[in-house]
Amino acid sequence: MEQDRRPSTVVHRIGAEGEPLAIIDDFAGDPDALRAAAVAATFGPADQHYPGIRAPLPAFYLEEQLPVIAAVLGRAFGRCRRVHVIDATFSIVTASPTALQLGQRLPHVDAYDPDRIALVHFLSPTDTDGTAFFRHRATGFETVTEERGRAYFAQLNAEVRDVEPGPGYIADDSDLFDRIAVVEARYNRALLYRSRQLHSGAISADAVLSADPAVGRLTVTAFLAIE
């Protein structure tokens, strides 16, 4: 059933670097229709970095949500004349904590460019596992830019060679990272943040990692470029 509520947005500046994090509640007009579309979709393996499965979005999703996204980007990130969609899919985390590769057990960035934006739209009515943001203790970096990349990965690689992180998703402080913010998932809540921020899905140890869109941690994930 279509909601009567309009999107409401709060913009936070997180960490010492003060990067913007936009939280949009009541993001889509009819989230139940999106869940129905996901249930009917055909999911397949994601790329090697995402610990789960993905499926194409219905055409109406971007048609309806891009105006909302553009308005929030202009408010939170200072400008938005145009939004380019690089990638956008339904996504479900399915990998068990013991099956994760090393890179999936650490915070990550998706791009260095400050004009690259990540979107996460939570579509599970019961799952509260959201998204966490981190600071690398040794370097103090909360974002990884092209200028910082070589030093950051050299330091991180040296650290994990000495002591490899244990199994499981990173959702809190660790020996290598401090958590600087976490946003709980809520049905029809969306987040927008720069892809260069160190982040991770805040997946709890007892999470239900079902591949069924009606049961699992269903989200829309998208990568955008703004100009």
Side-chain angles (χ1 to χ4, degrees), residues 80-101:
C80 183
R81 293 182 302 168
R82 192 172 303 165
V83 182
H84 300 279
V85 179
I86 298 169
D87 184 53
T89 59
F90 285 124
S91 303
I92 306 175
V93 172
T94 57
S96 70
T98 56
L100 296 177
Q101 300 175 13

Side-chain angles (χ1 to χ4, degrees), residues 76-131:
F77 297 89
R79 61 184 178 83
C80 183
R81 293 182 302 168
R82 192 172 303 165
V83 182
H84 300 279
V85 179
I86 298 169
D87 184 53
T89 59
F90 285 124
S91 303
I92 306 175
V93 172
T94 57
S96 70
T98 56
L100 296 177
Q101 300 175 13
L102 174 59
Q104 296 170 327
R105 290 178 267 146
L106 297 167
H108 66 280
V109 299
D110 299 306
Y112 292 158
D113 192 328
D115 293 332
R116 286 280 296 272
I117 307 296
L119 165 75
V120 181
H121 180 192
F122 302 108
L123 285 170
S124 170
T126 58
D127 191 289
T128 59
D129 288 346
T131 301

Side-chain angles (χ1 to χ4, degrees), residues 112 114 141 144-152 196:
Y112 292 158
F141 296 162
V144 181
T145 64
E146 187 171 1
E147 294 76 17
R148 291 177 170 182
R150 180 176 296 182
Y152 170 72
R196 67 184 186 180

Side-chain angles (χ1 to χ4, degrees), residues 47-194:
D47 60 36
Q48 60 180 339
H49 301 294
Y50 185 78
I53 56 177
R54 286 185 164 145
L57 292 173
F60 69 80
Y61 183 85
L62 290 173
E63 292 172 1
E64 294 178 0
Q65 298 312 124
L66 272 178
V68 181
I69 291 168
V72 175
L73 289 174
R75 172 182 170 187
F77 297 89
R79 61 184 178 83
C80 183
R81 293 182 302 168
R82 192 172 303 165
V83 182
H84 300 279
V85 179
I86 298 169
D87 184 53
T89 59
F90 285 124
S91 303
I92 306 175
V93 172
T94 57
S96 70
T98 56
L100 296 177
Q101 300 175 13
L102 174 59
Q104 296 170 327
R105 290 178 267 146
L106 297 167
H108 66 280
V109 299
D110 299 306
Y112 292 158
D113 192 328
D115 293 332
R116 286 280 296 272
I117 307 296
L119 165 75
V120 181
H121 180 192
F122 302 108
L123 285 170
S124 170
T126 58
D127 191 289
T128 59
D129 288 346
T131 301
F133 300 86
F134 294 89
R135 176 188 303 114
H136 183 229
R137 292 186 174 186
T139 61
F141 296 162
E142 298 168 359
T143 59
V144 181
T145 64
E146 187 171 1
E147 294 76 17
R148 291 177 170 182
R150 180 176 296 182
Y152 170 72
F153 286 108
Q155 176 65 35
L156 182 62
N157 289 337
E159 290 172 330
V160 298
R161 278 197 302 268
D162 292 339
V163 181
E164 184 171 315
Y169 293 92
I170 183 167
D172 211 330
D173 293 347
S174 73
D175 291 341
L176 304 183
F177 294 90
D178 290 319
R179 192 179 75 182
I180 59 172
V182 63
V183 182
E184 182 179 83
R186 183 180 297 171
Y187 188 44
N188 203 22
R189 166 177 283 176
L191 309 181
L192 288 166
Y193 53 89
R194 284 197 170 97

Side-chain angles (χ1 to χ4, degrees), residues 9-33:
T9 304
V10 177
V11 179
H12 297 281
R13 295 279 177 172
I14 63 172
E17 296 183 17
E19 282 286 327
L21 168 62
I23 304 171
I24 314 164
D25 287 316
D26 300 314
F27 179 59
D30 193 351
D32 293 347

